[in-house]
Amino acid sequence: MIWYLSGRGDSLEDATLAGARQTKGVVCLDVAGDFSASMDDSVDTRNSALALLKPFMAREMRPDDLLTTVRFANTASLTLAPTRAADLTRAAEELGNVESGQYTYFIPAIKALDRGHDEEGGACARRVLVAITDGEFADDMDQLVPLVRHFDGVYLAVPDQPSGYRPRRFAADARLAAVVTEGFDDAEALSLLYGKALAAATGQRLAHR
């Protein structure tokens, strides 16, 4: 039974990927954390959810699947280079060097993730992105749309919003209709969104252990 995002108390600690994996190659999960001033209240939640994600990936994913993280606001900084699931329990994020400003830009975050994968030199059979953000970006959407298409799936995790909430600029641009948006109110719910993205990438189901 699939139960992701289905109630308080559930988290990736209680989860498994059920069914046969359909993706044969490496699955890459990229996590982008919005560190602009409007997201200050979500920093601890993001960090706690990432702490739930790492052992889940080490337990449930192939050893060579990859996790990469970036922080962004006015600028972006890669904080975890592409790291194998087998190594995640020992991996720590760097603090990064992110500048805040009047506006928040998503494009530098995606470009930093792309550079990280290019430097790693490996290929992702499936690549998904989860961004923890309110989605209030100042990017030129004509430049953002082609970069979003680098991913097989894109998920926006928006704090304190209901499932299906669409940030203003995403709601207004039909080219971004495939971007999934989910609300979350705690680290457990956010961690399950990571699980949802990974299950979609592997072709499996997120279920209770």
Side-chain angles (χ1 to χ4, degrees):
M1 173 171 104
I2 300 175
W3 55 239
Y4 52 73
L5 302 180
S6 66
R8 293 181 179 276
D10 290 332
S11 79
L12 286 185
E13 284 186 315
D14 312 307
T16 188
L17 290 175
R21 176 169 166 146
Q22 303 301 310
T23 302
K24 303 304 182 186
V26 172
V27 166
C28 301
L29 172 60
D30 292 351
V31 173
D34 184 343
F35 275 65
S36 60
S38 62
M39 291 289 292
D40 280 350
D41 290 344
S42 298
V43 170
D44 289 344
T45 299
R46 175 205 169 271
N47 291 341
S48 297
L50 195 67
L52 293 168
L53 171 63
K54 289 179 178 179
F56 174 83
M57 287 191 65
R59 182 181 73 242
E60 299 291 331
M61 301 297 289
R62 276 184 16 174
D64 57 344
D65 290 334
L66 298 174
L67 173 66
T68 310
T69 69
V70 67
R71 299 182 183 187
F72 70 99
N74 188 257
T75 61
S77 180
L78 198 71
T79 49
L80 183 69
T83 301
R84 299 170 71 249
D87 301 325
L88 283 176
T89 56
R90 301 181 298 277
E93 279 193 296
E94 298 177 0
L95 292 177
N97 182 22
V98 177
E99 296 178 6
S100 295
Q102 183 177 0
Y103 300 106
T104 302
Y105 294 97
F106 197 29
I107 286 174
I110 297 177
K111 287 185 174 180
L113 290 165
D114 285 349
R115 284 194 300 271
H117 284 285
D118 288 344
E119 290 170 4
E120 180 72 18
C124 303
R126 299 279 292 177
R127 186 182 176 201
V128 291
L129 169 65
V130 177
I132 304 92
T133 180
D134 57 14
E136 297 302 321
F137 302 143
D139 300 275
D140 180 332
M141 300 306 271
D142 288 337
Q143 296 180 31
L144 177 60
V145 168
L147 294 175
V148 168
R149 291 174 179 158
H150 292 183
F151 302 91
D152 296 291
V154 176
Y155 301 79
L156 301 186
V158 186
D160 304 318
Q161 293 292 348
S163 179
Y165 167 81
R166 301 293 287 180
R168 174 178 50 87
R169 298 193 72 194
F170 283 79
D173 197 321
R175 296 172 298 177
L176 296 171
V179 173
V180 177
T181 54
E182 295 281 2
F184 70 92
D185 56 8
D186 55 29
E188 289 74 18
L190 177 55
S191 77
L192 290 173
L193 181 54
Y194 295 144
K196 174 182 179 178
L198 287 170
T202 63
Q204 294 172 280
R205 305 184 313 279
L206 191 65
H208 278 293
R209 283 206 284 169

